[in-house]
Amino acid sequence: MAPASSDVQRVPIDLGERSYPILIASGLIGDAQTYADLPRAQTALIVSNTTVAPLYAQALQTALASYYPRVLLLSLPDGESHKDWPNLQRIFDVLLEHGCDRKTVLFALGGGVVGDITGFAAASYMRGVPFVQVPTTLLAQVDSSVGGKTAINHPLGKNMIGAFYQPARVVCDLDVLTSLPARELSAGLAEIIKYGPIADMGFLDWIESHMPELLEREPRALGVAVRRSCEIKAGVVGLDEREAGLRAILNFGHTFGHAIEAGLGYGQWLHGEAVGCGMVMAALLSERLGLIDAALVARIRRLVQAAGLPVVGPQLSPTDNAGRYLELMRLDKKSEAGQIKFVVIEAPGRAGVRGAPDALVREVIDACCVPA
Ligand code: NAD
Ligand code: GLY
């Protein structure tokens, strides 16, 4: 059922002429009103995947038909390994084979994988066409669809080829979260928890007291969590769109997390699982640097665990586990001249970026990983 307009929450992203709203409500995807006043064109192309398209593409196609004479659908294979050149090329192939002009609007219907590749296609097709994010995972609704980071993976590194390119709108339909596998829901909760220690301890309190409702997918609780997460991310992106500095705080837990993802092989742990465990490591590092007390570290660990996420890191090497983590973390995009930069909690609700001695990082890894 279409939401009453008063039930639709709007979070603005303030970026001058690139400003756009995030819409949050149940029932948005199939409601034609959701897409009113978007750029008009002869053609809309929905990019989705083989899991999400059968569930939600028909509703989106029908709603878009009110505005676009031709609505095309491209369903890509599902999975992180398909966020690559051949699938980017498939998007361009469809656009060119159908004679799509530079007004064509792309709609990304799926999780972060679909959102990232579609956004990059939109950034590059005919030097840029409008696109709309219709995120269908919790992680994509609270993080990846917002803020304009688009990318594909290279065999030598994740998200290495991409562009900053803002969508024209983000459409967060809470109803789609009902079909999400439990593991994916937990992965999204990791990115929600992240916003507490870096920006809003009141939100951390709220997440702690509402974790059962979130795990039960209670729509009101999910609506609050998605809205507050988007507000915090919108505030950060509005101040630092291209990550000159501040935006890096959104990567709390990601330096350790990316090492886990890469070290185990992509797909073994979900991104959100690795970030959850990475936040525990980054919190302990913050404590060892004398920035926060042990009680906050314990609180973050408890919350990550309550969300159904791992809190103990995997062994990445049988001989020198901490050394392998360090080696992988040096490849992080935040590293400068081989020095790893960590997002740390500088005080409850405030984050910053700094280096740390290898010996201290080794201690943290040893304390957080399963014994060899
Ligand atoms: P994903 O896109 O792979 O989706 C996870 C799984 O859930 C997939 O199998 C997908 O088909 C399925 N799915 C999606 N919606 C569903 C639904 N409603 N019902 C049932 N199944 C559904 O993973 P993700 O966690 O959404 O995104 C991870 C990606 O996002 C990574 O590539 C990561 O690099 C990227 N990312 C980007 C940013 C950014 O700022 N651009 C931020 C964080 C993560
Ligand atoms: N997910 C981190 C960022 O958007 O900057």
Side-chain angles (χ1 to χ4, degrees), residues 143-144 146-149 164 191 194-195 233 237 243 247-248 250-251 254 271:
D143 190 357
S144 65
V146 173
K149 280 188 180 175
F164 285 97
E191 300 283 8
K194 168 185 86 179
Y195 292 113
K233 182 154 185 184
V237 171
E243 202 165 311
R247 186 168 175 165
L250 298 172
N251 279 322
H254 287 58
H271 175 71

Coordinates of all heavy atoms in Angstrom, one line a residue, residues 143-144 146-149 164 191 194-195 233 237 243 247-248 250-251 254 271, ligand 2:
D143 N 23.8 3.3 4.5 CA 25.2 3.7 4.2 C 25.5 3.9 2.7 O 25.6 5.0 2.2 CB 26.2 2.7 4.9 CG 27.6 3.2 4.8 OD1 27.9 4.2 4.2 OD2 28.5 2.5 5.3
S144 N 25.5 2.7 2.0 CA 26.1 2.8 0.7 C 25.3 3.6 -0.4 O 25.9 4.1 -1.3 CB 26.3 1.4 0.1 OG 25.1 0.7 -0.1
V146 N 23.9 6.4 0.1 CA 23.9 7.8 0.5 C 25.3 8.3 0.4 O 26.3 7.7 0.8 CB 23.4 7.9 2.0 CG1 23.6 9.3 2.5 CG2 22.0 7.4 2.1
G147 N 25.4 9.4 -0.3 CA 26.8 10.1 -0.3 C 27.6 10.1 -1.5 O 28.6 10.7 -1.6
G148 N 27.1 9.3 -2.5 CA 27.7 9.4 -3.9 C 29.0 8.7 -4.1 O 29.7 8.9 -5.1
K149 N 29.4 7.7 -3.2 CA 30.6 6.9 -3.6 C 30.2 5.8 -4.5 O 29.3 5.0 -4.1 CB 31.3 6.3 -2.3 CG 32.2 7.3 -1.6 CD 32.9 6.6 -0.5 CE 33.8 7.5 0.3 NZ 34.5 6.9 1.5
F164 N 33.1 9.9 -7.4 CA 32.1 10.5 -6.5 C 31.0 11.0 -7.5 O 31.2 11.8 -8.4 CB 32.6 11.7 -5.8 CG 33.5 11.3 -4.6 CD1 34.9 11.2 -4.8 CD2 33.0 10.9 -3.4 CE1 35.7 10.8 -3.7 CE2 33.8 10.6 -2.3 CZ 35.1 10.5 -2.5
E191 N 26.6 -1.2 10.5 CA 26.8 0.2 10.0 C 26.0 1.1 10.8 O 26.3 2.3 10.9 CB 26.5 0.3 8.5 CG 27.4 -0.6 7.6 CD 28.8 -0.1 7.4 OE1 29.2 0.9 8.0 OE2 29.5 -0.7 6.5
K194 N 27.8 1.8 14.1 CA 28.9 2.6 13.8 C 28.6 4.1 14.1 O 29.5 4.8 14.7 CB 29.3 2.5 12.4 CG 30.3 3.5 11.8 CD 30.4 3.2 10.3 CE 29.4 4.0 9.5 NZ 29.6 3.8 8.0
Y195 N 27.4 4.6 13.8 CA 27.1 6.0 13.9 C 27.1 6.5 15.4 O 27.3 7.6 15.7 CB 25.8 6.3 13.3 CG 25.8 6.2 11.7 CD1 25.1 5.2 11.1 CD2 26.6 7.0 11.0 CE1 25.1 5.0 9.7 CE2 26.6 6.9 9.6 CZ 25.9 5.9 9.0 OH 25.9 5.8 7.6
K233 N 24.9 10.5 8.4 CA 25.7 10.4 7.2 C 25.6 11.7 6.4 O 26.6 12.2 5.8 CB 25.4 9.2 6.4 CG 26.4 9.1 5.2 CD 26.6 7.7 4.7 CE 27.7 7.8 3.6 NZ 27.9 6.5 2.9
V237 N 28.6 14.0 5.1 CA 28.9 14.2 3.6 C 28.7 15.6 3.2 O 29.4 16.2 2.4 CB 27.9 13.2 2.8 CG1 28.0 13.5 1.3 CG2 28.3 11.8 3.1
E243 N 35.8 13.4 0.9 CA 36.6 12.8 1.9 C 38.0 13.5 1.9 O 39.1 12.8 1.9 CB 36.8 11.3 1.7 CG 37.3 10.6 3.0 CD 37.1 9.1 2.9 OE1 36.0 8.6 2.6 OE2 38.1 8.4 3.3
R247 N 35.1 13.0 6.4 CA 34.3 11.8 5.9 C 34.9 10.5 6.3 O 34.2 9.5 6.4 CB 34.0 11.9 4.4 CG 33.1 10.9 3.9 CD 32.6 11.1 2.5 NE 31.8 10.0 2.1 CZ 31.0 9.9 1.1 NH1 30.9 11.0 0.3 NH2 30.3 8.9 0.7
A248 N 36.2 10.5 6.5 CA 36.9 9.2 6.8 C 36.4 8.6 8.1 O 36.5 7.4 8.3 CB 38.4 9.5 7.0
L250 N 33.5 7.9 8.8 CA 32.5 6.9 8.5 C 33.1 5.5 8.3 O 32.4 4.5 8.1 CB 31.7 7.3 7.2 CG 31.0 8.6 7.3 CD1 30.4 9.0 5.9 CD2 29.8 8.5 8.3
N251 N 34.4 5.5 8.2 CA 35.1 4.2 8.1 C 35.6 3.6 9.4 O 36.5 2.8 9.4 CB 36.3 4.4 7.1 CG 35.9 4.4 5.7 OD1 35.1 3.6 5.3 ND2 36.5 5.2 4.9
H254 N 36.5 0.0 9.6 CA 36.7 -0.6 8.3 C 38.2 -0.9 8.0 O 38.4 -1.8 7.1 CB 36.2 0.5 7.2 CG 34.7 0.6 7.2 ND1 34.0 0.9 8.3 CD2 33.9 0.4 6.1 CE1 32.7 0.9 7.9 NE2 32.6 0.7 6.6
H271 N 30.6 -7.9 4.4 CA 31.3 -6.6 4.7 C 30.9 -6.1 6.2 O 31.7 -5.7 7.0 CB 30.9 -5.6 3.7 CG 31.3 -4.2 3.9 ND1 32.7 -3.8 3.8 CD2 30.7 -3.1 4.3 CE1 32.8 -2.5 4.1 NE2 31.6 -2.1 4.4
Ligands
GLY2 N1 30.8 4.3 3.7 C1 31.7 5.4 3.9 C2 31.5 6.6 3.1 O1 30.5 6.7 2.4 O2 32.3 7.5 3.1

